[in-house]
């Protein structure tokens, strides 16, 4: 089981499951984006925003490892892959900045995404993508 958020409870019995979190955020983002005709884009952003939480490093962090984990770049890269037109860039921009804030320019986003493609990070991101793809297939999300 993969988790999105932890609590004081160390046995994880009340931790939020990652698939549940992604679905809840996707539903909320879709509802808000529907106001201006972008419901599908909002849903995609919600599903992809925490893709990097599928990494073993992030799951260890929830258990108290204290390691720093970039959990937004994987989702930003996936958005650019799934939506290669301008929409992918917009989604990647929002996803990459969903905690740290939006970058001042698309150039800053590009630099972040390109520098994250170092071999070790690329392998971790690919593992997240594979787990996420499996979850999408099981739940029929982003079909």
């Amino acid at each position: 089981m993969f988790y999105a958020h932890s609590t004081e409870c160390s046995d994880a019995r009340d931790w939020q499951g990652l698939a549940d979190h992604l679905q809840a955020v996707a539903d909320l983002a879709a509802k808000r984006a529907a106001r201006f005709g972008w419901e599908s884009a909002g849903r995609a952003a919600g599903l992809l925003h925490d893709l990097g939480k599928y990494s073993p490093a992030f799951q260890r962090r929830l258990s108290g490892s204290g390691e720093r984990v970039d959990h937004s770049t994987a989702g930003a890269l996936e958005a650019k892959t799934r939506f290669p037109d301008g929409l992918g860039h917009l989604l990647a921009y929002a996803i990459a900045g969903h905690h740290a804030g939006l970058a001042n320019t698309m150039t800053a986003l590009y630099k972040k995404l390109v520098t994250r493609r170092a071999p070790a990070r690329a392998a971790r991101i690919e593992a997240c993508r594979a787990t996420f793809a499996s979850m999408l297939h099981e739940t029929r999300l982003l079909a």
Side-chain angles (χ1 to χ4, degrees):
M1 172 103 178
F2 291 91
Y3 296 98
H5 301 107
S6 60
T7 66
E8 300 284 327
C9 182
S10 62
D11 69 3
R13 71 177 175 270
D14 63 349
W15 291 13
Q16 184 182 29
L18 184 51
D20 292 340
H21 169 69
L22 294 176
Q23 184 60 59
V25 172
D27 290 345
L28 182 60
K31 180 179 177 182
R32 290 183 175 170
R35 296 176 185 162
F36 50 90
W38 279 44
E39 182 176 355
S40 294
R43 181 167 306 286
L47 288 171
L48 295 173
H49 83 284
D50 278 347
L51 178 62
K53 290 185 177 184
Y54 278 109
S55 71
F58 187 84
Q59 296 303 303
R60 286 191 305 270
R61 178 178 166 74
L62 289 178
S63 296
S65 75
E67 60 193 292
R68 293 183 51 93
V69 180
D70 169 6
H71 73 274
S72 62
T73 299
L77 288 169
E78 186 67 14
K80 288 184 61 149
T81 300
R82 285 183 178 271
F83 308 99
D85 58 4
L87 175 61
H89 289 285
L90 291 173
L91 292 175
Y93 186 67
I95 291 166
H98 82 272
H99 284 294
L102 298 177
N104 287 333
T105 65
M106 289 300 280
T107 303
L109 171 65
Y110 177 77
K111 286 180 183 176
K112 178 180 181 178
L113 296 180
V114 168
T115 60
R116 300 292 193 233
R117 291 186 184 195
R121 289 188 186 218
R124 288 193 299 267
I125 288 171
E126 193 57 39
C128 292
R129 289 182 73 204
T131 304
F132 184 70
S134 174
M135 186 275 293
L136 288 177
H137 178 72
E138 290 171 15
T139 60
R140 302 182 196 282
L141 300 174
L142 275 184

